Amino acid sequence: MIQISASKNNKCKYIKSLALKKNRQKYGEYIIEGIKNVTEALKSDKTVTAIYISDTFFNTKNFEYPDSIPVYRLTDSVFDSISLTKTPQGILASVNIDFNTGIKPDSERCYIYCDGINDPGNLGTIIRTADAAGFGGVMMSEECVDLYSPKVIRSTMGSIFHIDTETDVPCDRLRELKEQGFQILGGALEESSVDFREFDYTRPTVIIVGNEANGMSKAVRDMCQFVKIPILGKAESLNAGVAASILMYEAVRQRT
């Protein structure tokens, strides 16, 4: 275990730099915070490159530190200076971005495609729900918020380590999946829209979640079959993460 007592230490500067997407892309690493995220990452097939803990965490938490990964012990004030959360738990880690990962669709599974989701909380919720619902993976268009942003990672509550994800997936990929027999399903108030409970999710399905403000892009809409979720009160619409969750769990209901 290596002690760090100054925030000007190069390791501290490096961790801080990973708050920016350009640096995550440059160095191929991202940051995870909290006991749950670090524990789940260590149990997964992801490559954790280093662990950083505060003095208080070391003295008060019974945590099993792996021998194969460098562990840096920081004074509380130094740890607070590199943490991106308001109330840090005293542990964070750096994890390799696997740029070579890609989803290989299985016709027995359902999938989610995020078309320009901008809110980190929504993307994290969608990933977490897709994991809970047993979906095969989450695909994201180039216009989506960065998968590896700290807010997205926190919102997944560890699910990012349990479900396949793929970023920068072009619309053409959906077209290929459609040709392979997948039905492309989007939520929208169209003349052709049917109640979401009347759709057959037992077939190979990709559920589209559109941008919070503008919905699905035209290219994606042109490939979709449409369903609608009834709104019985005075709300104009549903949150993107909530709408996606409703559709995913209707698929679960029908498939079980």
Side-chain angles (χ1 to χ4, degrees):
M1 191 171 291
I2 305 165
Q3 185 78 44
I4 297 178
S5 57
S7 59
K8 293 182 179 180
N9 181 282
N10 286 336
K11 284 291 181 182
C12 294
K13 292 179 180 178
Y14 175 70
I15 292 299
K16 289 180 181 179
S17 77
L18 296 180
L20 299 178
K21 179 180 179 179
K22 66 177 184 179
N23 291 326
R24 292 194 292 270
Q25 293 291 317
K26 178 181 178 180
Y27 299 116
E29 290 191 326
Y30 62 100
I31 294 301
I32 58 175
E33 289 203 52
I35 298 174
K36 181 172 179 58
N37 274 333
V38 175
T39 300
E40 295 300 318
L42 290 171
K43 291 191 295 186
S44 74
D45 60 357
K46 307 299 181 184
T47 302
V48 177
T49 56
I51 296 173
Y52 298 79
I53 59 170
S54 68
D55 281 339
T56 296
F57 183 91
F58 179 78
N59 291 324
T60 60
K61 302 294 183 182
N62 185 19
F63 190 84
E64 188 173 339
Y65 303 98
D67 295 332
S68 58
I69 300 172
V71 178
Y72 298 90
R73 181 177 170 182
L74 286 59
T75 62
D76 288 358
S77 60
V78 172
F79 187 92
D80 289 347
S81 74
I82 67 170
S83 172
L84 298 176
T85 61
K86 291 182 179 179
T87 55
Q89 295 181 10
I91 183 169
L92 61 79
S94 52
V95 183
N96 273 349
I97 295 174
D98 190 348
F99 292 106
N100 298 317
T101 56
I103 291 174
K104 297 178 181 178
D106 176 351
S107 61
E108 297 298 317
R109 311 287 292 279
C110 289
Y111 297 84
I112 283 281
Y113 181 86
C114 297
D115 184 25
I117 293 294
N118 284 330
D119 183 83
N122 279 337
L123 182 56
T125 295
I126 291 166
I127 292 170
R128 185 179 177 184
T129 307
D131 175 26
F135 268 50
V138 180
M139 295 175 275
M140 289 146 275
S141 71
E142 295 176 347
E143 295 76 24
C144 280
V145 63
D146 182 26
L147 172 63
Y148 301 106
S149 77
K151 289 183 179 180
V152 172
I153 299 296
R154 286 197 298 273
S155 296
T156 71
M157 290 295 291
S159 285
I160 192 171
F161 306 116
H162 304 313
I163 188 169
D164 290 338
T165 57
E166 184 174 353
T167 60
D168 300 331
V169 179
C171 182
D172 287 345
R173 181 76 176 282
L174 293 177
R175 195 168 288 108
E176 293 172 4
L177 290 172
K178 191 170 184 179
E179 291 172 355
Q180 293 169 20
F182 281 83
Q183 51 190 354
I184 311 300
L185 172 66
L189 296 176
E190 300 286 336
E191 288 186 9
S192 60
S193 297
V194 300
D195 188 292
F196 77 100
R197 293 161 291 193
E198 297 175 6
F199 192 82
D200 181 8
Y201 300 81
T202 62
R203 295 174 52 199
T205 302
V206 179
I207 295 173
I208 309 297
V209 189
N211 175 267
E212 293 87 349
N214 304 312
M216 293 174 284
S217 60
K218 184 180 184 305
V220 171
R221 290 176 67 91
D222 289 344
M223 285 184 280
C224 278
Q225 300 178 63
F226 297 112
V227 296
K228 57 186 176 183
I229 300 172
I231 294 179
L232 308 179
K234 296 183 179 180
E236 291 185 359
S237 62
L238 289 171
N239 170 276
V242 171
S245 299
I246 290 171
L247 298 181
M248 282 190 270
Y249 267 89
E250 177 60 19
V252 171
R253 187 189 70 82
Q254 291 190 18
R255 285 171 167 254
T256 56

